[in-house]
PDB file of all heavy atoms in Angstrom:
ATOM      1  N   VAL A  41     -54.714 -36.477 -38.182  1.00 98.00           N
ATOM      2  CA  VAL A  41     -53.416 -36.692 -37.538  1.00 98.00           C
ATOM      3  C   VAL A  41     -52.544 -37.727 -38.254  1.00 98.00           C
ATOM      4  O   VAL A  41     -51.321 -37.574 -38.342  1.00 98.00           O
ATOM      5  CB  VAL A  41     -53.599 -37.053 -36.032  1.00 98.00           C
ATOM      6  CG1 VAL A  41     -54.295 -38.382 -35.853  1.00 98.00           C
ATOM      7  CG2 VAL A  41     -52.261 -37.051 -35.322  1.00 98.00           C
ATOM      8  N   LEU A  55     -44.529 -31.081 -48.455  1.00 97.00           N
ATOM      9  CA  LEU A  55     -44.649 -29.880 -47.622  1.00 97.00           C
ATOM     10  C   LEU A  55     -44.015 -28.671 -48.323  1.00 97.00           C
ATOM     11  O   LEU A  55     -44.612 -27.597 -48.413  1.00 97.00           O
ATOM     12  CB  LEU A  55     -43.931 -30.145 -46.297  1.00 97.00           C
ATOM     13  CG  LEU A  55     -43.648 -28.956 -45.379  1.00 97.00           C
ATOM     14  CD1 LEU A  55     -44.884 -28.638 -44.555  1.00 97.00           C
ATOM     15  CD2 LEU A  55     -42.479 -29.248 -44.449  1.00 97.00           C
ATOM     16  N   GLN A  93     -36.145 -12.744 -26.774  1.00 96.00           N
ATOM     17  CA  GLN A  93     -35.125 -13.787 -26.746  1.00 96.00           C
ATOM     18  C   GLN A  93     -33.794 -13.263 -27.289  1.00 96.00           C
ATOM     19  O   GLN A  93     -32.748 -13.435 -26.696  1.00 96.00           O
ATOM     20  CB  GLN A  93     -35.590 -14.995 -27.564  1.00 96.00           C
ATOM     21  CG  GLN A  93     -34.640 -16.169 -27.550  1.00 96.00           C
ATOM     22  CD  GLN A  93     -34.571 -16.868 -26.194  1.00 96.00           C
ATOM     23  OE1 GLN A  93     -35.420 -16.670 -25.334  1.00 96.00           O
ATOM     24  NE2 GLN A  93     -33.552 -17.679 -25.997  1.00 96.00           N
ATOM     25  N   GLU A 136     -50.198  -5.688 -27.700  1.00 98.00           N
ATOM     26  CA  GLU A 136     -49.802  -5.998 -26.309  1.00 98.00           C
ATOM     27  C   GLU A 136     -49.779  -7.511 -26.081  1.00 98.00           C
ATOM     28  O   GLU A 136     -48.909  -8.047 -25.409  1.00 98.00           O
ATOM     29  CB  GLU A 136     -50.779  -5.356 -25.303  1.00 98.00           C
ATOM     30  CG  GLU A 136     -50.745  -3.840 -25.259  1.00 98.00           C
ATOM     31  CD  GLU A 136     -51.336  -3.176 -26.517  1.00 98.00           C
ATOM     32  OE1 GLU A 136     -52.248  -3.767 -27.136  1.00 98.00           O
ATOM     33  OE2 GLU A 136     -50.872  -2.084 -26.881  1.00 98.00           O
ATOM     34  N   LEU A 155     -56.192 -23.793 -32.632  1.00 98.00           N
ATOM     35  CA  LEU A 155     -56.991 -23.899 -33.872  1.00 98.00           C
ATOM     36  C   LEU A 155     -58.458 -24.097 -33.505  1.00 98.00           C
ATOM     37  O   LEU A 155     -59.362 -23.677 -34.221  1.00 98.00           O
ATOM     38  CB  LEU A 155     -56.525 -25.081 -34.736  1.00 98.00           C
ATOM     39  CG  LEU A 155     -55.108 -25.006 -35.318  1.00 98.00           C
ATOM     40  CD1 LEU A 155     -54.838 -26.248 -36.167  1.00 98.00           C
ATOM     41  CD2 LEU A 155     -54.903 -23.730 -36.125  1.00 98.00           C
ATOM     42  N   PRO A 186     -60.649 -22.589 -41.470  1.00 98.00           N
ATOM     43  CA  PRO A 186     -61.572 -21.542 -41.900  1.00 98.00           C
ATOM     44  C   PRO A 186     -60.855 -20.198 -42.051  1.00 98.00           C
ATOM     45  O   PRO A 186     -61.131 -19.240 -41.341  1.00 98.00           O
ATOM     46  CB  PRO A 186     -62.594 -21.516 -40.753  1.00 98.00           C
ATOM     47  CG  PRO A 186     -61.829 -21.953 -39.551  1.00 98.00           C
ATOM     48  CD  PRO A 186     -60.790 -22.904 -40.026  1.00 98.00           C
ATOM     49  N   THR A 219     -33.204 -19.395 -10.491  1.00 95.00           N
ATOM     50  CA  THR A 219     -33.306 -17.980 -10.863  1.00 95.00           C
ATOM     51  C   THR A 219     -33.123 -17.738 -12.361  1.00 95.00           C
ATOM     52  O   THR A 219     -33.113 -16.590 -12.805  1.00 95.00           O
ATOM     53  CB  THR A 219     -32.262 -17.143 -10.087  1.00 95.00           C
ATOM     54  OG1 THR A 219     -30.961 -17.659 -10.407  1.00 95.00           O
ATOM     55  CG2 THR A 219     -32.490 -17.209  -8.593  1.00 95.00           C
ATOM     56  N   PHE A 245     -20.451 -25.481 -24.051  1.00 87.00           N
ATOM     57  CA  PHE A 245     -21.209 -26.699 -24.436  1.00 87.00           C
ATOM     58  C   PHE A 245     -20.482 -27.946 -23.930  1.00 87.00           C
ATOM     59  O   PHE A 245     -21.089 -28.906 -23.490  1.00 87.00           O
ATOM     60  CB  PHE A 245     -21.270 -26.868 -25.961  1.00 87.00           C
ATOM     61  CG  PHE A 245     -22.088 -25.849 -26.719  1.00 87.00           C
ATOM     62  CD1 PHE A 245     -22.155 -25.918 -28.115  1.00 87.00           C
ATOM     63  CD2 PHE A 245     -22.798 -24.852 -26.082  1.00 87.00           C
ATOM     64  CE1 PHE A 245     -22.897 -25.019 -28.848  1.00 87.00           C
ATOM     65  CE2 PHE A 245     -23.540 -23.930 -26.806  1.00 87.00           C
ATOM     66  CZ  PHE A 245     -23.589 -24.018 -28.198  1.00 87.00           C
ATOM     67  N   ALA A 369     -30.218 -39.484 -36.404  1.00 97.00           N
ATOM     68  CA  ALA A 369     -30.323 -40.663 -37.283  1.00 97.00           C
ATOM     69  C   ALA A 369     -29.973 -41.923 -36.495  1.00 97.00           C
ATOM     70  O   ALA A 369     -30.647 -42.955 -36.589  1.00 97.00           O
ATOM     71  CB  ALA A 369     -29.399 -40.514 -38.490  1.00 97.00           C
ATOM     72  N   PRO A 398     -21.312 -44.666 -35.558  1.00 91.00           N
ATOM     73  CA  PRO A 398     -21.186 -45.942 -34.846  1.00 91.00           C
ATOM     74  C   PRO A 398     -22.305 -46.891 -35.287  1.00 91.00           C
ATOM     75  O   PRO A 398     -23.328 -46.438 -35.815  1.00 91.00           O
ATOM     76  CB  PRO A 398     -21.371 -45.559 -33.377  1.00 91.00           C
ATOM     77  CG  PRO A 398     -21.329 -44.070 -33.311  1.00 91.00           C
ATOM     78  CD  PRO A 398     -21.597 -43.542 -34.676  1.00 91.00           C
TER      79      PRO A 398
END
Side-chain angles (χ1 to χ4, degrees):
V41 66
L55 167 83
Q93 183 70 15
E136 293 71 30
L155 295 181
T219 59
F245 292 178

